Every structure is written in C-alpha cells, then in structure tokens.
Amino acid sequence: MAEKEEARVGVFICHCGTNIAGSIDIMDAVEYAKTIPNVAYADQYQYMCSTPGQGKIVEAIKEHNLTGIVVAACSPRLHEPTFRVATKEGGLNPFRFEMANIREQNSWVHMHDKESATAKAKDAIKIAVAKAALLEDLIPKSVPVEHAALVVGAGVGGIQASLDLASAGIKTYLIEKWPTVGGRMSQLDKTFPTLDCSQCILTPKMVDVGRHPNIELMTYCEIEKVEGYIGNFDITIRKKARGVLSPDEATARGIVGGGCNGCGDCAEVCPVIKPNPFEMGMAPRKAIYIYHAQVMPLLYTVDFDACVKCGLCVDACGDKKAIDLEMEDEFITLKIGTAIIATGYNLMPIENKREWGYKQFDNVITGLEFERLICASGPTGGHLIRPSDGETPKSVGFILCAGSRDNTGNGKPYCSRFCCMYSLKHAHQIMEKIPGTKVYLFYMDIRSFGKMYEEFYYRIQSEGAKFIRGRVANVLEDPQTRNLYVRAEDTLLGRPVEVECDLVVLAAAVQPVDEEDVIRKHFGVSKSQDGWMLEAHPKLNPCGTTTAGVFLAGVCQGPKDIPDTVAQAEGAASAASIPIHIGQVELEPYFAQCMEELCAGCGMCIDLCPYQALALVDRSDGSGRKVMSVTEAKCKGCGTCGGFCPGGAIKMQHFTSPQIHAQIDAFLCGGEQ
Amino acid sequence: MAVKKYDNPDLEKKLHDTRYHSIDTNPEFTKKVLDISRTIANMCYQCGTCTGSCPSAPRSSYRIRLFMRRAVLGLEDEALTDPDLWLCTTCYSCTDRCPRDIAPTDVIMAMRNLAFKRDIIPRNFLKTAQLIYSTGHGVPNNDVNRAARVKLGLTADPPTTHSYPEFIPGIQKILNYFELKQNADRMLEGE
C-alpha cells in the first residue's frame, strides 16, 4: 500500500442543528479525529452544507494543503454533490471527497445513547479517513445524448409529456398498448370538481399528439427490449399485428389512395361479437373494431384471438385494401436519449372482497363501470340503469375505500386518492340526471384536499346526498327484487344501519397495470413497498428514478388525480428534456477497469455483468490474445465482475481493493496495519 | 378542574361531569389489553366495520367499536364496568372483516379476563363455570333434550362427559388451575 504522496486529510463534522449534535458529542469526535493517522486538520460547524460550512472546506484545503476531505454528516444521497463541489472549489479533484454518515445511520437511530453513538461516529470517521487517504483523481466521462425521447403509455400523463417534449423540439416516440391513445381519462364521463366533459377536454390533446410533427405515435405496440444507458437507449418495440393498414402503410405497399379511413364498413359485416374493454365489457364490439368514435388514430384493429378469417371485412373494404388478415407482429428499434414511463393503473380485483358481492350480485358495479353507464357516449347513451333489469335506480349506495386503506393483505394499504372525489361527482350526476333518487355515501373520511375540492364536497352535501360515516360491513341481495341491502355502522350515531339500494357502486382501490413489473424491469426501475414504481426521492426528485435518464409520470408512481398527473407529466418532460438539450451527460467515473497485464482473457466476467457492459477484445499488444474490455458508459460500477475476477485483474474505480482493505483495517485494527 | 358543588347529592349525581378526563386514561390498561389479546387495537381508525358485521349490535346496545376506542384511550373503568362487554358472541365476524387487520374479538376477550380479575362478571357466566365444573357442560343435557335425541334415534346422552363421567376430574383439574370454580363459588356465595 505504497502512497505516492503523503496523505493529508481534512475532517469536518456537522452538528446538523441538534440532529447530530443532540446525540453525538461533536467536540469529543473532533479531538479524536485529530489523532487519526493522516489527518492534517479537523473542524466542526453547525451546518456544513451552508455557505460558511462549505467555505471552511475551501479555505482548509488551501491553508493546510489537504489531499483528501472527509465530511461526517448526513447520507451521501443528500449532500455528497454539495461537498464535492466545495472540494473542487478548494482546488482538489472532486472525487478526493469521502462522506461518513453519522446522521441517518447513527444519531437518528441511537437517539438515546449518546456514549455509544459517539463511539460509533468515531469509527465511521476513522473508516472514512482510511479511504480518503487513498483516494485518487478521477475524471468523469461525457457521452453524447440522442436527440429523441420515448414516452410509454398514452393516457393523459403520457399525452401531456409527449406534447411538452415535442413542443420543446425533441423527436418523441409515444408508445401505447391499446389501439388508441386516451387511456383511463377517455373512459370518464365528467371530471371533478369542474364537471368538465372528460372527452371534450382530452380529445383536443389526443388530436394534437396525432398530428404534431415531432411526435411519432405508435399505438398497439409494446416494449420488447431495452438496452443501453442515459443518452443512448436502444429500444425494441413490438408492433402488434393490427390487421389493418394506415393510409401511409398502404402507400408504402403500393396501394394508391388506399388504407383505412375509418368508415366502419368492415365492422358492419364482421360476424364475431366480443365485449368491448373500453366499455368495461358492457357493450359489444366486433372482431374488427375501434374502441369508440373519437379514437386516435382512427384506424380499425383486428382482434386475431377472435377473428375467424372469414374474409367478409376484406370484401367490404374493397379497393382501399386496408385489411391484411395475414399480418404478423413486427419489431422496430428506436434510438432515444431519455424515457418517460406513464403506464397508469387498473382497478384491483374487488370481487376478492367477497362481503361486498361484486360479480355475485349484478347490481354491484365499480366506479369505472358507473362512468360508462352515465356517459352519453356509453353503452346506454347516458341513461343510468341497473344491470339486473335495466330499470332506473331510485336509490344508490356508494362504498368508499373499497379495498383501499386495507391492511389485511386482501386489499391495498394506501389511499387511492381520487375515489372520494369521483364518488362525490357520481352522487352529483345522479341527483342531476334522475331527480328524486336517493344517494348514500358510506365513507370513513372524505379526503377532498385539492383546489376547489372541499367546496365541491360542500356542494354535494347541499344538494342532498346522505353521508353515512361508516365502512360497509357487507352487502346482501334480495333474490326476488335484486335489491341490495347495505349494512354498516353509522359511527356518528353509534347505531348499526341497513340501507336498501337499487344499485351499489364500489369505489375500488387502484393498483398498477399487469405489465408494470415487465416494463419496470426493462428500464431497471425499482418498485416501492406499495407496488408502484419508485421515484428517486419522494419529495425532491418525484419524477426521476434510480436509472439515469428514465422518468415517471402519473399514477404508475402512485395514485394521482388528473391535475396531479398532468403536473407530474410536465415535470417529467422538463427533466427528460434537460440531458437532451445539453447534448451530453456526465457519467460518474465508478466504472470497472481491466488491468490488461493481469487479465487472462477467461471471459467469465462477461456473463456475470448485469448491464452487458463487458466484452472480450483483442489485446492491444497484437499478441492475438483476448482481454476483457469495459464499455464505460454502460458500467454502473456494481462490482460484480471485480469481486469475481479470479486474477484480480479488474479495478473498481473509487472502490479499489486497497481502499476497501484500508477501511476494513481501520475498523478492525484501529488503523494500525 | 374544580367542580361546582350543589349541597344536594341527587342534583350532584344528575349534573355530574360526563367528560372523560386525561386522568381517567390508563396507559397500563392499553398495554395489558395488547399483551393479552396480541392484537394492535391502537391501529383502529373507527370505521365501524366491526359493529356493522356484529350479530349482537342490532339487538343490543353492544358496540364493539366503542370498546376498541376505550382500549386505545385506556379508559379502563368505563370498559370493564360496561355490562355490554359480555354481549359478544365471539363469532369473529369483526375479526374477519376488519380492514386494519385487528382482532376486535380478542380485545373483548382480553378485557373480559381483566374484568374477571376485578370480580366484575355477570352471574350467568359464573353459573356456567360451576356447571362445567360439575358436569363438563356449560349447558347440561335435560329431559326435553334426551327425549328429542331418543326420538331421532340417538342415545339419550351424547358421547361426552355425560356418557363418560370418568373424564370430569380432568376438566376439574384444568378449572382448578385457573381457580375458576373457587372464584365463582366465592362470588356467588349465599345464592
């Protein structure tokens, strides 16, 4: 462990107000630090991250001719970048900095044991100094960024993110698994609290994404493979066989003036009938179909699982020759710089809550089914009926928190955040459309926290909806009348209550879409405890992820209503456009390095690498032998190869074996090697 | 806080302060209930699913949700002296449906144990303890039952301690360990 120069380490201990100083004796730790080998200077300050705190580092580097800096403070996730900048300002390479976490991993967990906490802090400082003494200058690499972005999911979040990116001059690929853009918002009748028609405010944006010159809309497509890294992702898209050619695709095949114009002649003659998922299965569609009249793009789609290939549609289409029943899936490769995931949500399978009778009793429906039944363009033309007999309901019960705020494992522990508000809206719509209908909302808490939301709650109360504070225990059905008996406790009266309803609407909890795990793993994005995708920081980086260049928008990150989804989408678009506009990204230089003279070229590390960053190449000395080579931009510095290499030929920069050995020695032998 | 006196016991009783005061809450009680029931009553958010599911509630003044509240707040006297405590049928519907994954039935059972330690227990429960001690049954067989059983082609007595009284001493040994019979006898003395 020969050192090229005498190491002179400066140690700075932060009080963090009382966060650290409350449970660690700072002055004792400073005095101790001065006794550690290689420490040339030790100091403390109230808030090291403040301007004067950083100034201390800059000054000390110059004054004491320091070669390495240790700050004992909070987690490096928080302020490592701050102190690196200070180290650089003092004239040192920024990677000459090491952090000792004495807050999250010490003072906060040993709040009532000052003596032990102080002893532990001393150990942490000693270990950090051991590494700081051996730190080397590192130069970050820059890689160019592809001037294009990908957005996964074309609901309102994906649409907004795409429009923002495209308007900022970035080529944007918008991928959607459904045959049309629009997502959940296009299924809604009205939006709270303004009662805007959902389709009316969304369709202009749907049309915009269809004709924006910078947006390439790819509906009925799925992500097949993701390779690469920030700035240079290679995305393979599966373009599912649609069976129908767009006018452009028809032209490419030499069919002049052909392709689908959305006339619908094909669906008219198609003999196969299937439930339409857009209408929550409550209306029929054909095997060749569009979801609804306002689809974007206006292209029919063949459901090849249902199609009997009778060919009637091909005849009906005639000279346009838009239908190709032999079409197969295609694979398209895209090069993009950054990506936004906006995959949205599904309702949880609320039939698992047997006590509420969904899928046992016809007249128990979900909130999304209600949206379609009350919507003028829905299967009933906007006439609310109850499914068992088509009668107009005279009393409707709403069960809030259906599966949300549920710790049993057969539900979701979180609040789904928009069910209170849409249930209020449903109550309003019923009272408006069917005067005289009684509305009961069974609730635990009405969470009307947004702008003009509490006022909306007030309005629905004044319109006469009955609010019963109690979670519903069970729903029973009278087999003759098919009426439902909703049982709960009116907790405000302290009495059990039974309400007879014609129709019961479950405000079912939301959960991630089925494909979430697959998409998440393609992009290397983590999952939080509740199943949604994990943001980089819940408060300070809500759009980012732990994968550089991949961002989140909308409900895929956690339940959100439309305003919050749009806001996050705009945030994600802004974040995703930054590396593209800068044109290059700096990568942390933590990558593995092959020491050619030690590498035997066995290649065993290649398959171990989780990031496909390694390859065998010809040795530079022309001997014809192979050595391992690292694509530095792909390497995440995980150390899998370095830990495995039988010849010790792989050096992990910033985590070299001598540095790690020194840390272990410092801890176990008190620094005496 | 000082309370105004009326120099009239009847009036004072009628106008007594019904607030609960911080002094009425006993954190030890909350902890004892937790230790015995092994369920986390303090996670209760008072949704009422328990009372809504309770077969006893529509026919009585028993509100299991209120007992959960008393457990959380440590309102020991209020919980243990409320005769409703003994109206739970232990059907476990509330436990089945509780969204917080609490077992309210077990909270009730814990409170009954604590009440018994303070000699707060309805007579019929003590009588039941005595009957189990003497016959092995809380509800022993009777002539009407015997006739019905014979009519159905069964033996007059079921194949329990009624047919095998030699197992009664074993049951008595268990009850003796918990001093259940002795306590029941003591409390019912003179009846």
Side-chain angles (χ1 to χ4, degrees), chain B residues 92-159:
Chain B
Y92 279 93
S93 295
C94 51
T95 303
D96 247 15
R97 291 183 184 152
C98 174
R100 283 295 212 199
D101 213 13
I102 307 168
T105 320
D106 293 347
V107 170
I108 290 293
M109 302 294 269
M111 287 182 177
R112 285 179 179 180
N113 274 301
L114 293 169
F116 185 74
K117 284 185 183 158
R118 288 174 52 178
D119 284 359
I120 309 170
I121 180 165
R123 287 180 65 256
N124 55 325
F125 279 75
L126 296 173
K127 293 265 189 207
T128 305
Q130 286 177 331
L131 281 169
I132 294 172
Y133 194 87
S134 53
T135 69
H137 281 260
V139 183
N141 213 359
N142 56 38
D143 288 342
V144 179
N145 241 334
R146 283 191 196 96
R149 289 180 61 90
V150 171
K151 203 172 162 187
L152 288 167
L154 300 168
T155 54
D157 279 314

Side-chain angles (χ1 to χ4, degrees), chain A residues 72-84:
Chain A
C74 50
S75 158
R77 276 195 68 140
L78 221 55
H79 278 308
E80 191 175 60
T82 317
F83 296 126
R84 278 206 179 138

Side-chain angles (χ1 to χ4, degrees), chain A residues 355 405-408 444 469-471 473-474 488-489 491 494-496, chain B residues 45-49 51-53 57-58 63 65 97-101:
Chain A
E355 58 264 42
R405 306 176 65 195
D406 184 314
N407 301 63
T408 61
M444 290 196 275
R469 198 215 166 263
R471 186 175 169 279
N474 59 334
E489 182 193 5
T491 58
R495 284 174 65 185
Chain B
Y45 56 26
Q46 294 285 299
C47 67
T49 305
T51 312
S53 306
R63 303 285 177 265
R65 178 177 56 82
R97 291 183 184 152
C98 174
R100 283 295 212 199
D101 213 13

